[in-house]
Structure formats: C-alpha cells, structure tokens
Amino acid sequence: MSLMTNPHPNPSLPNRPLVYLVEDDDGVANVVVRELEAFEFLVQRFQDGSSFLRKLQVECPDLCIIDLGLPDMDGVSLIKQIGSLGQCGVLVLTG
C-alpha cells in the first residue's frame, strides 16, 4: 500500500503544524515521520512516554500520535495524562 505524498514540499513555510509521535518501533516511526514531513508537518519523535511527558510540560503540539504499547508505560494512561497537561489532539497508533 502506498501513501500519498506531497509532490512539492516547502520546508520554509512558517507556522507548520507540530506533531509529537510517541512510538518505540523504529520502522513504524520512520514511515510515519517521513509521510508527515512530506505533507509539511513538523514532527518530533519520542521512544517512550516519560520523555514525551517531560517535553509536553514545556510545549504543546497540535497533535499527539500515541502508540498504545510503549516500553515504560501504558499508552492509555499516557493519553489520560495528556489532557491534564495540554490541549492537543490525540491519535492512537497500534498494531
């Protein structure tokens, strides 16, 4: 299956939406990051919930993509904590 890509990315666009990706699987994360960046999103990836929560305390993204199976905590409990730290959208990624 092939995902659509933006044929004319423009990395100089100001105010690109920020997405936090919390995913411990490098293969999955690489695909998600590549496709989001092709559509001109800024993406920051975290491999565990703890580092994500530390960052979320200082900066709130437009969207958080959360894997439910993380090495250091349950993704569902992480999603509950997001609501108390910021106002952002949440997308669940699991497989």
Side-chain angles (χ1 to χ4, degrees):
M1 178 168 103
S2 174
L3 296 175
M4 293 175 36
T5 58
N6 183 344
H8 306 290
N10 184 354
S12 65
L13 284 177
N15 301 321
R16 296 180 349 182
L18 176 61
V19 177
Y20 285 175
L21 171 63
V22 187
E23 172 59 67
D24 61 317
D25 182 302
D26 289 336
V28 172
N30 290 339
V31 170
V32 173
V33 169
R34 181 182 68 233
E35 294 303 321
L36 287 170
E37 288 178 344
F39 283 93
E40 300 176 350
F41 289 92
L42 294 173
V43 183
Q44 184 165 0
R45 185 233 177 151
F46 302 88
Q47 293 184 321
D48 59 64
S50 299
S51 60
F52 163 75
L53 287 172
R54 283 192 299 275
K55 181 67 173 184
L56 191 60
Q57 292 176 8
V58 296
E59 181 179 43
C60 187
D62 298 291
L63 176 67
C64 296
I65 301 176
I66 310 294
D67 177 19
L68 291 182
L70 297 170
D72 63 337
M73 66 179 58
D74 174 58
V76 174
S77 63
L78 181 62
I79 291 168
K80 290 177 183 176
Q81 293 181 57
I82 292 170
S84 66
L85 293 174
Q87 299 273 336
C88 63
V90 174
L91 180 77
V92 174
L93 177 67
T94 189

